[in-house]
Amino acid sequence: MPFSNQQLAAIFNDIADRLDIQGEIVFKVRAYRTAAENILNASRPAADLWREGALDQIPGIGKEIAAKVDELMRTGRLAFYERLRSEVPDGVVAMLRVPGVGPKRAKEFWDRLGITDVDQLEAAARAGKLRELPRMGEKAEQKILAGIESLKRRATGRMRLGDALPIAQRIVSRLKDVSGVQKVEWAGSLRRGKETIGDIDIIVATTDPTPVMQTFLAMPGIAEVLGAGETKSSVRLADGLQVDVRTVEPRVWGTALQYFTGSQLHNIKVREIAQKKGLTLNEYAVSRLGGTPHDAIGRTDVETFDNEPALYARLGMAYIPPELREDRGEIEKALELGPMRIVMPDLIDLKDMRGDLQMHTTWSDGASDVMDIARAAIALGYEYILITDHTHSLGVANGLTPERVKQQRKEIDQVNAQLKKEGHKFRVLQGAEVEVKSDGALDLPDDVLAQFDLVQASVHTSLTQSREKITARAIRAMQNPHVNILGHPSGRLINEREGADYDWEALFRAALEHNVALEINADPLRLDLNDVLARRAVELGCKLSISTDAHSPGMLNNMILGVMVARRAWVTPASVINTWPLAKLLKWAAKK
Ligand code: DGT
Ligand code: CA
Ligand code: CA
Ligand code: ZN
């Protein structure tokens, strides 16, 4: 039973963790850690040394640990380790990886609160239970929550779009003010609007790189400088996110931005097209292969481009918006259209949005009242909003009952009257986010649903039902004559939870048949439907809504995230019900 050095090291490190949690004396714990480290660094396989009876050649392996290696090699097992594993749950050991949690705390959470894994720890922190323990308090509790967040991010290595965007905005706005700077943009997956971001790539057009790098490296929140060059620097921020900043000469802005926007697959294809034309393409220029100094119309062998559309045109292609650059058919389309055109000129844009169709108020779990969120929506230039508080069967505070639906209608009527008096051309609509129960029934009766302007139905519970069951459940909900929108259809939470296992084709066909719009939920945690599913839905003829699910007025600003997903899904305004004028929206809802 030959164990590799890595396997042995992992076992001894795990033993050290478990002994540490049990409160074993420091020197003993350290002995296992030292052994693990030295085994890992040994120049020869421990298995060979064991066979030769020469384990003591590895420093730090005394009699006791050598006996354990021997037992493992001979029997494939280690009784001591098996006992330890039965004494300390794996999940308690896993808690040690949370920044801010050491062996003493892990043991305390386990002993006093019965917490045996990271998920339970997170729930306890959110419920404010940790702060009551000795030597803890609210601050330590917050730190642990932040630690769990960063741990999860490290697990996937990717940050959510909605978390990365404000960071990039801050950096860009700072670099814009530096002298000599002409243009600053984020490139990479962020510019393409991908739902998670590996790192942030920022491109700066400037005649003077030095002050740009100085300003960037002096920004607050940098944990580590990974590289600092004349025209390129990389840093790691305190939350683990990496940011790369590159400066380029303004005359090569077009090629540089195109190159660093990616995606890699898109760029590979673009370069192939260049090659077919006898050209090569890199981040600085388009050059003539073979190197004749001029072509027939006098172009020299190296051409630079200070803007992207001119670059795409040079390659015989229409301009491709960044969100489409995933090699999902956009290049073929751009070639077909030819230069001086644009692929999907009617791609949806934030300014197409006339309203927001999902938000919560103090009538359920939202933070503000109807008037406050209405005023915030007016400030964003919207013409209408749909208030969609939760209904009573979802366990959140204060879901709507039939009685409270009537009361809320009175308040919404008053808000509309007041806003009209003030001269606003704006309507607050009453809706609800109705619970789809586990069998597909809704938790308000039809005569109550009939009172709403529009009804959204959402699945929040039992997301792990079988494909057959959950698909039938959602379809049953959509068959209800009053349901207009299916909210956050998959139920996934980015980096946290998989969505339900629907038969999407069947779901989309049912949505089409029953005239139900599918939501692109713009909450940074959700972005649900995602780009691929939304594209398929629209292909089949389904309508979409793009809404923020705001629980406070500030969250209405998340609309841009939903619009980015829609752009990645090749969506035009015609497919999105909340780009429509109010009269058209209400007519559509009424004819269901
Ligand atoms: P990410 O950061 O993992 O979310 O994804 P991206 O797309 O931002 O990738 P990143 O940061 O590695 O590089 C940014 C862009 O730069 C990428 O989309 C295309 C371009 N790029 C970077 N390295 C290479 C490369 O080795 N080959 C090619 N063709 N393009 C590259
Ligand atoms: Ca990137
Ligand atoms: Ca990068
Ligand atoms: Zn919901």
Side-chain angles (χ1 to χ4, degrees):
M1 179 67 54
F3 282 82
S4 71
N5 287 21
Q6 277 95 337
Q7 286 170 322
L8 289 173
I11 289 170
F12 288 128
N13 267 324
D14 198 37
I15 287 174
D17 283 343
R18 286 170 206 263
L19 291 175
D20 215 357
I21 290 166
Q22 287 186 331
E24 182 58 89
I25 48 173
V26 178
F27 104 88
K28 201 154 182 190
V29 174
R30 198 178 296 147
Y32 282 102
R33 290 208 199 284
T34 307
E37 177 147 3
N38 290 337
I39 289 171
L40 206 56
N41 292 330
S43 56
R44 294 187 56 204
D48 291 354
L49 294 170
W50 166 73
R51 235 174 270 118
E52 296 162 17
L55 273 174
D56 56 4
Q57 281 185 16
I58 300 178
I61 301 225
K63 263 206 191 106
E64 201 177 324
I65 291 178
K68 293 197 165 69
V69 174
D70 182 60
E71 185 180 336
L72 275 166
M73 295 289 186
R74 274 188 298 106
T75 68
R77 310 176 43 181
L78 180 57
F80 169 72
Y81 183 43
E82 281 168 20
R83 201 190 71 228
L84 262 180
R85 290 191 66 173
S86 71
E87 287 169 359
V88 183
D90 291 348
V92 175
V93 180
M95 285 196 274
L96 297 178
R97 285 205 299 278
V98 176
V101 179
K104 283 211 185 69
R105 280 205 169 143
K107 175 135 179 18
E108 200 164 60
F109 297 150
W110 175 28
D111 282 352
R112 294 197 178 225
L113 300 172
I115 294 170
T116 54
D117 63 37
V118 176
D119 285 345
Q120 292 172 14
L121 182 65
E122 181 176 7
R126 287 196 195 285
K129 284 184 190 150
L130 304 186
R131 66 183 70 169
E132 283 148 28
L133 294 173
R135 297 178 311 282
M136 279 292 297
E138 208 173 321
K139 232 179 169 168
E141 188 176 71
Q142 283 309 313
K143 215 175 136 193
I144 285 173
L145 263 182
I148 293 172
E149 269 291 306
S150 86
L151 186 70
K152 281 185 182 158
R153 200 158 51 238
R154 247 181 290 149
T156 65
R158 304 187 64 84
M159 183 180 252
R160 288 186 282 259
L161 176 66
D163 297 330
L165 202 55
I167 298 171
Q169 278 162 343
R170 226 172 23 244
I171 298 171
V172 164
S173 76
R174 220 174 242 246
L175 296 183
K176 275 198 165 140
D177 292 338
V178 176
S179 77
V181 168
Q182 297 186 6
K183 284 179 187 140
V184 189
E185 281 223 47
W186 50 79
S189 50
L190 187 60
R191 184 161 180 247
R192 302 197 311 277
K194 224 176 148 187
E195 66 189 30
T196 61
I197 304 301
D199 68 359
I200 296 180
D201 305 282
I202 290 177
I203 315 293
V204 183
T206 183
T207 49
D208 188 5
T210 311
V212 173
M213 291 307 168
Q214 279 170 353
T215 305
F216 173 52
L217 295 174
M219 280 192 56
I222 294 177
E224 190 184 347
V225 175
L226 304 170
E230 229 169 284
T231 60
K232 186 196 163 184
S233 294
S234 291
V235 304
R236 201 170 44 72
L237 304 179
D239 54 19
L241 184 68
Q242 186 179 324
V243 184
D244 298 343
V245 171
R246 289 181 180 82
T247 62
V248 299
E249 289 174 48
R251 68 193 182 96
V252 305
W253 175 254
T255 39
L257 187 60
Q258 196 283 332
Y259 180 88
F260 290 111
T261 296
S263 67
Q264 206 150 324
L265 286 179
H266 173 90
N267 284 359
I268 289 170
K269 268 228 173 123
V270 170
R271 276 200 304 269
E272 280 170 14
I273 287 158
Q275 265 159 24
K276 280 195 198 128
K277 294 183 176 301
L279 303 169
T280 61
L281 167 66
N282 63 21
E283 60 262 55
Y284 304 110
V286 171
S287 314
R288 190 157 292 280
L289 279 169
T292 45
H294 299 280
D295 71 356
I297 56 167
R299 287 181 292 213
T300 58
D301 61 351
V302 177
E303 299 169 68
T304 58
F305 295 85
D306 66 2
N307 69 86
E308 284 186 322
L311 172 61
Y312 279 102
R314 175 67 180 91
L315 300 175
M317 301 162 79
Y319 175 73
I320 301 172
E323 294 90 343
L324 304 186
R325 300 183 196 170
E326 298 287 352
D327 191 16
R328 294 176 181 164
E330 76 280 8
I331 291 179
E332 291 74 8
K333 184 101 194 185
L335 286 168
E336 190 188 304
L337 288 169
M340 312 313 283
R341 305 278 294 277
I342 172 169
V343 176
M344 297 291 291
D346 52 352
L347 199 58
I348 192 166
D349 198 83
L350 186 58
K351 64 179 189 313
D352 294 317
M353 304 310 301
R354 289 179 196 253
D356 190 329
L357 301 180
Q358 186 177 183
M359 64 197 66
H360 299 260
T361 70
T362 45
W363 283 93
S364 65
D365 60 348
S368 75
D369 63 16
V370 175
M371 183 56 103
D372 282 351
I373 206 154
R375 288 198 190 283
I378 290 170
L380 291 175
Y382 288 146
E383 296 167 23
Y384 51 83
I385 53 173
L386 181 70
I387 303 287
T388 54
D389 278 301
H390 289 289
T391 52
H392 61 96
S393 82
L394 185 67
V396 302
N398 232 8
L400 295 173
T401 56
E403 180 50 35
R404 294 182 69 242
V405 170
K406 287 207 182 75
Q407 294 166 8
Q408 190 195 43
R409 174 60 87 176
K410 276 189 204 140
E411 180 175 328
I412 287 176
D413 287 346
Q414 284 163 9
V415 167
N416 277 324
Q418 173 66 26
L419 291 174
K420 193 170 175 190
K421 213 165 81 190
E422 293 175 19
H424 296 292
K425 202 176 161 291
F426 183 83
R427 252 293 273 293
V428 180
L429 303 171
Q430 189 190 25
E433 184 179 15
V434 182
E435 276 309 291
V436 178
K437 294 199 258 184
S438 64
D439 62 354
L442 303 177
D443 78 336
L444 285 175
D446 280 4
D447 63 317
V448 177
L449 296 178
Q451 297 166 27
F452 294 114
D453 297 302
L454 279 97
V455 171
Q456 166 166 322
S458 293
V459 171
H460 289 114
T461 56
S462 306
L463 285 167
T464 53
Q465 282 174 334
S466 69
R467 172 176 292 205
E468 206 183 0
K469 203 162 176 187
I470 200 156
T471 304
R473 172 185 180 191
I475 290 175
R476 182 174 167 206
M478 292 193 290
Q479 285 167 341
N480 179 288
H482 303 288
V483 169
N484 308 109
I485 304 167
L486 185 68
H488 46 72
S490 88
R492 66 98 173 250
L493 298 177
I494 299 173
N495 280 356
E496 304 219 337
R497 167 177 95 197
E498 298 281 323
D501 179 28
Y502 285 106
D503 176 344
W504 288 105
E505 290 290 314
L507 193 82
F508 293 160
R509 286 179 203 283
L512 191 61
E513 183 189 343
H514 301 294
N515 212 21
V516 170
L518 300 156
E519 185 183 59
I520 294 180
N521 188 296
D523 184 294
L525 251 156
R526 293 190 181 272
L527 301 184
D528 178 10
L529 296 174
N530 70 16
D531 51 357
V532 173
L533 289 173
R535 187 170 177 187
R536 180 63 187 150
V538 167
E539 225 166 58
L540 289 172
C542 293
K543 296 287 180 273
L544 303 175
S545 70
I546 309 176
S547 298
T548 61
D549 200 355
H551 283 64
S552 65
M555 286 175 73
L556 293 175
N557 291 305
N558 287 330
M559 183 63 86
I560 183 64
L561 302 175
V563 171
M564 281 172 132
V565 173
R567 287 172 67 85
R568 288 175 64 80
W570 297 56
V571 171
T572 62
S575 304
V576 179
I577 61 171
N578 48 330
T579 64
W580 297 347
L582 179 60
K584 182 174 175 184
L585 174 68
L586 293 176
K587 205 169 139 197
W588 171 82
K591 84 166 193 262
K592 165 152 183 167

